[in-house]
Amino acid sequence: MTNAPVASGDRSEGHFDHDFVRQFDRLLRWRRDVRRFTDTPLDEDLLGELIAAAELSPSVGNSQPWRWVDVRSPAPRRAVEESFIRCNAEALAGYGGQRAQHYSTLKLAGLGEAPVHLAVFCDLDSGQGHGLGRRTMPETLTYSVVTAITSFWLAARARDVGVGWISIIDPAEVCTALSVPDTWELVAYLCVGYPEREDVVPELEQSDWQARTDPADRYIVR
Ligand SMILES: Cc1cc2nc3c(=O)[nH]c(=O)nc-3n(C[C@H](O)[C@H](O)[C@H](O)COP(=O)(O)O)c2cc1C
């Protein structure tokens, strides 16, 4: 994977004009969690480009603790899908009445359709960064991986590629299926591919499960 975004000594390249800022805000608004994919394959170089973009993310102590596993073999894919089916059934059993009925109608993963499955781990044992910032908040190592996933998500959306994050799986089962080192913690299992359609409204809002709420309710000043 040699698709690192171009580095340049030209300082003006580090300035972003108003038009770009508007486009970037539009990208944020149009990023979606995608569970419905077309059967169009994703070019391997394009996947490399997305990972290269995500590699530019911030990380505590510059530790870059993210590890990408491109899950191609049928056996681990099947194991993850089975884990999802079981965990989703358990989640459904945790709801009652109307809420359970509603939950059962939601599509919460596109594992069968997505051409690319990407498991993203945090290497808890990585020495990179020499522990800087982690003595007080060790969890920042995992947070660093989340920043990379967000970058990946946005870089994908900017290229018309959709990403769906699946957490309704048993991380231990995923680790076993992928035979990763014991020190790797699963942070995300991503489905990646071309979305069936674009929408500015989150799917869970469209299906009346949960709408976005007022940002003012989450902002305080001290
Ligand atoms: C950590 C994390 C885990 C998620 N897990 C799931 C999941 O298992 N299944 C699912 O359908 N969506 C999952 N999502 C997607 C959210 O449901 C989605 O981000 C939210 O509904 C808002 O929609 P949007 O991403 O399209 O704006 C997850 C998102 C995050 C950030």
Side-chain angles (χ1 to χ4, degrees):
M1 301 239 174
T2 53
N3 303 297
V6 183
S8 158
D10 180 356
R11 280 168 170 242
S12 65
E13 280 197 19
H15 176 76
F16 303 95
D17 61 25
H18 184 63
D19 201 41
F20 172 81
V21 173
R22 282 191 34 225
Q23 296 268 54
F24 182 68
D25 289 349
R26 199 157 65 82
L27 173 66
L28 294 175
R29 264 197 308 282
W30 279 90
R31 182 211 49 78
R32 287 284 67 77
D33 186 85
V34 176
R35 298 116 178 160
R36 299 163 204 275
F37 298 92
T38 69
D39 55 12
T40 308
L42 195 83
D43 187 75
E44 205 179 328
D45 286 346
L46 178 52
L47 178 64
E49 209 174 294
L50 302 181
I51 292 176
E55 285 279 342
L56 300 174
S57 303
S59 59
V60 64
N62 216 7
S63 55
Q64 299 182 287
W66 41 76
R67 304 290 180 263
W68 314 96
V69 179
D70 183 354
V71 185
R72 297 188 189 180
S73 312
R77 281 190 173 215
R78 208 167 32 246
V80 171
E81 197 154 2
E82 281 166 9
S83 184
F84 168 75
I85 291 168
R86 190 179 52 74
C87 293
N88 202 32
E90 286 169 9
L92 171 62
Y95 293 105
Q98 284 258 305
R99 194 47 86 178
Q101 207 287 324
H102 194 168
Y103 186 90
S104 71
T105 64
L106 301 174
K107 179 165 170 58
L108 296 171
L111 287 161
E113 306 92 317
V116 171
H117 287 198
L118 195 64
V120 192
F121 293 87
C122 178
D123 182 359
L124 300 171
D125 202 29
S126 167
Q128 187 172 329
H130 312 287
L132 189 149
R134 282 148 59 187
R135 195 180 62 79
T136 40
M137 293 185 68
E139 63 275 24
T140 51
L141 205 61
T142 309
Y143 297 168
S144 301
V145 178
V146 178
T147 73
I149 295 165
T150 306
S151 304
F152 181 92
W153 214 333
L154 291 172
R157 182 61 189 85
R159 293 162 173 83
D160 290 330
V161 175
V163 175
W165 185 328
I166 300 162
S167 53
I168 310 167
I169 41 177
D170 180 336
E173 287 176 355
V174 177
C175 289
T176 303
L178 298 176
S179 309
V180 295
D182 289 349
T183 52
W184 287 19
E185 174 194 38
L186 181 70
V187 179
Y189 196 88
L190 304 177
C191 285
V192 187
Y194 291 96
E196 268 185 4
R197 65 192 179 95
E198 310 293 2
D199 214 298
V200 75
V201 180
E203 188 163 329
L204 289 187
E205 183 160 347
Q206 289 179 50
S207 53
D208 285 330
W209 179 266
Q210 178 64 66
R212 288 186 183 279
T213 54
D214 186 353
D217 294 341
R218 291 183 290 275
Y219 178 75
I220 59 169
V221 178
R222 285 278 185 274

